[in-house]
Amino acid sequence: MNKVIRFYNQNRRRIWLVIFVIVFAFLIIQVLNSFYQRVKQEEQQKQNDSDEYSSSDIKNYDNESQSMVQGSITSEKKKQKFGELIEKFLTYCNEGKVSEAYQLLSNSCKKVLYPSEKAFETNYYLTKFEQKKNYEFQLWSAVDQTYVYLIKLYDDMLSSGVATNQSYIQDYFSVIEEDNVYRLSISSLVKNVVYGKEAKQDNITINVMNKDSYMDYEIYHLSISNYSGKTILLDPLLKDDSVYLKDDHGIKYNSMLFESTQEELVLKKGEIKDIDIKFVKSYSTDYEVKELVFTTIIKNYDEYRQNSGSQDTKEIKIELK
């Protein structure tokens, strides 16, 4: 005990200095920890405020996602994605960013309507966005993974100098998923439907490859092979209802073959020809096409011409469902 007291007396200053240093270091650590926690809380609060601001600043597309006809979009993520996609396309067009807008089109839309950026610029952009437009859009229908929006383009009063917003250009956009990316099909082209259905009779084969479905009509792409040994005529163009579609409710839709010439419908023996036929059928999800019918195929076109239209005909039905 005496040794301890003697050691303390001899080293009193050093001992208290060490104690003071330890206590001071402990207090500094406590102060720094408190400061760090306060800074961290402030930063978190700033982040929360920023996130809250950003969330409130993002446009919500719930109203535009209410279907006008049928169906619905239940996914909030899809509502936002589709709305932003349409908004981006229309903004690019308004800003004259043709290339950027063109890249948002689906591959099928490019193939069918706008095979090049120049074609898109000439036939779409310059016809609709020669001046800046105001716009609005609304979901038209959402059935079977097909999302169609009604688009209205109004003249911008500041650009046009016209003090009215009553007239507008109407279009339909369809949102298409390709390679896990959503793109747009515009100009009322809803979608492309692949069939690969065919019918064969008397060595005449009609293959329905696919169709382009528009809001007001459909175009069927056919490949026809004639190995009958005679020249044939697919239709003499004497009646409006000789080539038609029939849906699962028994309703018929006539073709618009009057837009074709008789020569376009002639196939020589051994010939294979691709033919496009337009039908008067509006886009609908309630009625599904069941079959395509050729009622008056002329089996011997040479004899038909020589005998003033005497007919030896054949009917071919192609089941599509």
PDB file of all heavy atoms in Angstrom, residues 30-43:
ATOM      1  N   GLN A  30     -17.741  11.686 -28.117  1.00  0.00           N
ATOM      2  CA  GLN A  30     -19.179  11.830 -27.912  1.00  0.00           C
ATOM      3  C   GLN A  30     -19.743  12.988 -28.731  1.00  0.00           C
ATOM      4  O   GLN A  30     -20.804  12.882 -29.354  1.00  0.00           O
ATOM      5  CB  GLN A  30     -19.476  12.056 -26.430  1.00  0.00           C
ATOM      6  CG  GLN A  30     -19.261  10.835 -25.552  1.00  0.00           C
ATOM      7  CD  GLN A  30     -20.245   9.721 -25.888  1.00  0.00           C
ATOM      8  OE1 GLN A  30     -19.901   8.789 -26.597  1.00  0.00           O
ATOM      9  NE2 GLN A  30     -21.459   9.847 -25.387  1.00  0.00           N
ATOM     10  N   VAL A  31     -19.013  14.126 -28.697  1.00  0.00           N
ATOM     11  CA  VAL A  31     -19.451  15.306 -29.458  1.00  0.00           C
ATOM     12  C   VAL A  31     -19.472  15.003 -30.954  1.00  0.00           C
ATOM     13  O   VAL A  31     -20.408  15.353 -31.674  1.00  0.00           O
ATOM     14  CB  VAL A  31     -18.538  16.509 -29.154  1.00  0.00           C
ATOM     15  CG1 VAL A  31     -18.840  17.660 -30.123  1.00  0.00           C
ATOM     16  CG2 VAL A  31     -18.712  16.963 -27.720  1.00  0.00           C
ATOM     17  N   LEU A  32     -18.408  14.334 -31.443  1.00  0.00           N
ATOM     18  CA  LEU A  32     -18.331  14.001 -32.872  1.00  0.00           C
ATOM     19  C   LEU A  32     -19.441  13.034 -33.274  1.00  0.00           C
ATOM     20  O   LEU A  32     -20.048  13.176 -34.353  1.00  0.00           O
ATOM     21  CB  LEU A  32     -16.950  13.411 -33.198  1.00  0.00           C
ATOM     22  CG  LEU A  32     -15.770  14.382 -33.126  1.00  0.00           C
ATOM     23  CD1 LEU A  32     -14.461  13.638 -33.374  1.00  0.00           C
ATOM     24  CD2 LEU A  32     -15.936  15.514 -34.147  1.00  0.00           C
ATOM     25  N   ASN A  33     -19.710  12.048 -32.438  1.00  0.00           N
ATOM     26  CA  ASN A  33     -20.795  11.107 -32.734  1.00  0.00           C
ATOM     27  C   ASN A  33     -22.139  11.811 -32.800  1.00  0.00           C
ATOM     28  O   ASN A  33     -22.974  11.552 -33.672  1.00  0.00           O
ATOM     29  CB  ASN A  33     -20.839  10.008 -31.671  1.00  0.00           C
ATOM     30  CG  ASN A  33     -19.758   8.962 -31.867  1.00  0.00           C
ATOM     31  OD1 ASN A  33     -19.242   8.801 -32.987  1.00  0.00           O
ATOM     32  ND2 ASN A  33     -19.400   8.253 -30.798  1.00  0.00           N
ATOM     33  N   SER A  34     -22.351  12.736 -31.868  1.00  0.00           N
ATOM     34  CA  SER A  34     -23.601  13.483 -31.850  1.00  0.00           C
ATOM     35  C   SER A  34     -23.734  14.346 -33.096  1.00  0.00           C
ATOM     36  O   SER A  34     -24.799  14.420 -33.721  1.00  0.00           O
ATOM     37  CB  SER A  34     -23.669  14.347 -30.590  1.00  0.00           C
ATOM     38  OG  SER A  34     -24.833  15.137 -30.586  1.00  0.00           O
ATOM     39  N   PHE A  35     -22.619  14.982 -33.456  1.00  0.00           N
ATOM     40  CA  PHE A  35     -22.617  15.816 -34.649  1.00  0.00           C
ATOM     41  C   PHE A  35     -22.891  14.976 -35.905  1.00  0.00           C
ATOM     42  O   PHE A  35     -23.680  15.359 -36.779  1.00  0.00           O
ATOM     43  CB  PHE A  35     -21.269  16.528 -34.766  1.00  0.00           C
ATOM     44  CG  PHE A  35     -21.122  17.350 -36.012  1.00  0.00           C
ATOM     45  CD1 PHE A  35     -21.746  18.583 -36.139  1.00  0.00           C
ATOM     46  CD2 PHE A  35     -20.357  16.877 -37.075  1.00  0.00           C
ATOM     47  CE1 PHE A  35     -21.622  19.333 -37.303  1.00  0.00           C
ATOM     48  CE2 PHE A  35     -20.224  17.620 -38.232  1.00  0.00           C
ATOM     49  CZ  PHE A  35     -20.850  18.851 -38.355  1.00  0.00           C
ATOM     50  N   TYR A  36     -22.238  13.833 -35.998  1.00  0.00           N
ATOM     51  CA  TYR A  36     -22.409  12.952 -37.154  1.00  0.00           C
ATOM     52  C   TYR A  36     -23.861  12.488 -37.272  1.00  0.00           C
ATOM     53  O   TYR A  36     -24.443  12.463 -38.363  1.00  0.00           O
ATOM     54  CB  TYR A  36     -21.469  11.765 -37.029  1.00  0.00           C
ATOM     55  CG  TYR A  36     -21.673  10.713 -38.094  1.00  0.00           C
ATOM     56  CD1 TYR A  36     -21.219  10.909 -39.399  1.00  0.00           C
ATOM     57  CD2 TYR A  36     -22.340   9.520 -37.798  1.00  0.00           C
ATOM     58  CE1 TYR A  36     -21.425   9.956 -40.380  1.00  0.00           C
ATOM     59  CE2 TYR A  36     -22.547   8.563 -38.771  1.00  0.00           C
ATOM     60  CZ  TYR A  36     -22.094   8.784 -40.069  1.00  0.00           C
ATOM     61  OH  TYR A  36     -22.297   7.838 -41.030  1.00  0.00           O
ATOM     62  N   GLN A  37     -24.462  12.104 -36.143  1.00  0.00           N
ATOM     63  CA  GLN A  37     -25.851  11.655 -36.161  1.00  0.00           C
ATOM     64  C   GLN A  37     -26.789  12.762 -36.612  1.00  0.00           C
ATOM     65  O   GLN A  37     -27.732  12.528 -37.367  1.00  0.00           O
ATOM     66  CB  GLN A  37     -26.250  11.170 -34.752  1.00  0.00           C
ATOM     67  CG  GLN A  37     -25.582   9.872 -34.325  1.00  0.00           C
ATOM     68  CD  GLN A  37     -26.013   8.688 -35.175  1.00  0.00           C
ATOM     69  OE1 GLN A  37     -27.106   8.684 -35.726  1.00  0.00           O
ATOM     70  NE2 GLN A  37     -25.132   7.693 -35.287  1.00  0.00           N
ATOM     71  N   ARG A  38     -26.515  14.004 -36.152  1.00  0.00           N
ATOM     72  CA  ARG A  38     -27.358  15.129 -36.541  1.00  0.00           C
ATOM     73  C   ARG A  38     -27.245  15.413 -38.042  1.00  0.00           C
ATOM     74  O   ARG A  38     -28.238  15.658 -38.712  1.00  0.00           O
ATOM     75  CB  ARG A  38     -26.986  16.367 -35.724  1.00  0.00           C
ATOM     76  CG  ARG A  38     -27.940  17.543 -35.972  1.00  0.00           C
ATOM     77  CD  ARG A  38     -27.771  18.646 -34.944  1.00  0.00           C
ATOM     78  NE  ARG A  38     -26.444  19.252 -35.018  1.00  0.00           N
ATOM     79  CZ  ARG A  38     -25.480  19.052 -34.135  1.00  0.00           C
ATOM     80  NH1 ARG A  38     -25.677  18.232 -33.094  1.00  0.00           N
ATOM     81  NH2 ARG A  38     -24.301  19.646 -34.258  1.00  0.00           N
ATOM     82  N   VAL A  39     -25.997  15.371 -38.555  1.00  0.00           N
ATOM     83  CA  VAL A  39     -25.788  15.599 -39.984  1.00  0.00           C
ATOM     84  C   VAL A  39     -26.482  14.511 -40.804  1.00  0.00           C
ATOM     85  O   VAL A  39     -27.115  14.788 -41.833  1.00  0.00           O
ATOM     86  CB  VAL A  39     -24.276  15.638 -40.308  1.00  0.00           C
ATOM     87  CG1 VAL A  39     -24.053  15.611 -41.822  1.00  0.00           C
ATOM     88  CG2 VAL A  39     -23.644  16.873 -39.707  1.00  0.00           C
ATOM     89  N   LYS A  40     -26.364  13.278 -40.349  1.00  0.00           N
ATOM     90  CA  LYS A  40     -26.990  12.162 -41.056  1.00  0.00           C
ATOM     91  C   LYS A  40     -28.504  12.310 -41.099  1.00  0.00           C
ATOM     92  O   LYS A  40     -29.155  12.068 -42.130  1.00  0.00           O
ATOM     93  CB  LYS A  40     -26.609  10.850 -40.380  1.00  0.00           C
ATOM     94  CG  LYS A  40     -27.060   9.610 -41.140  1.00  0.00           C
ATOM     95  CD  LYS A  40     -26.542   8.344 -40.451  1.00  0.00           C
ATOM     96  CE  LYS A  40     -27.005   7.109 -41.227  1.00  0.00           C
ATOM     97  NZ  LYS A  40     -26.512   5.864 -40.581  1.00  0.00           N
ATOM     98  N   GLN A  41     -29.097  12.728 -39.982  1.00  0.00           N
ATOM     99  CA  GLN A  41     -30.542  12.933 -39.931  1.00  0.00           C
ATOM    100  C   GLN A  41     -30.984  14.058 -40.859  1.00  0.00           C
ATOM    101  O   GLN A  41     -32.008  13.962 -41.535  1.00  0.00           O
ATOM    102  CB  GLN A  41     -30.968  13.232 -38.492  1.00  0.00           C
ATOM    103  CG  GLN A  41     -30.857  12.040 -37.549  1.00  0.00           C
ATOM    104  CD  GLN A  41     -31.181  12.409 -36.119  1.00  0.00           C
ATOM    105  OE1 GLN A  41     -31.431  13.572 -35.797  1.00  0.00           O
ATOM    106  NE2 GLN A  41     -31.156  11.408 -35.228  1.00  0.00           N
ATOM    107  N   GLU A  42     -30.191  15.129 -40.891  1.00  0.00           N
ATOM    108  CA  GLU A  42     -30.518  16.252 -41.782  1.00  0.00           C
ATOM    109  C   GLU A  42     -30.452  15.822 -43.252  1.00  0.00           C
ATOM    110  O   GLU A  42     -31.307  16.208 -44.055  1.00  0.00           O
ATOM    111  CB  GLU A  42     -29.562  17.415 -41.513  1.00  0.00           C
ATOM    112  CG  GLU A  42     -29.785  18.089 -40.166  1.00  0.00           C
ATOM    113  CD  GLU A  42     -28.765  19.177 -39.899  1.00  0.00           C
ATOM    114  OE1 GLU A  42     -27.835  19.318 -40.734  1.00  0.00           O
ATOM    115  OE2 GLU A  42     -28.890  19.884 -38.876  1.00  0.00           O
ATOM    116  N   GLU A  43     -29.416  15.041 -43.593  1.00  0.00           N
ATOM    117  CA  GLU A  43     -29.291  14.571 -44.967  1.00  0.00           C
ATOM    118  C   GLU A  43     -30.452  13.651 -45.347  1.00  0.00           C
ATOM    119  O   GLU A  43     -30.976  13.715 -46.464  1.00  0.00           O
ATOM    120  CB  GLU A  43     -27.963  13.838 -45.150  1.00  0.00           C
ATOM    121  CG  GLU A  43     -26.749  14.759 -45.122  1.00  0.00           C
ATOM    122  CD  GLU A  43     -25.454  13.989 -45.286  1.00  0.00           C
ATOM    123  OE1 GLU A  43     -25.498  12.734 -45.220  1.00  0.00           O
ATOM    124  OE2 GLU A  43     -24.400  14.633 -45.484  1.00  0.00           O
TER     125      GLU A  43
END
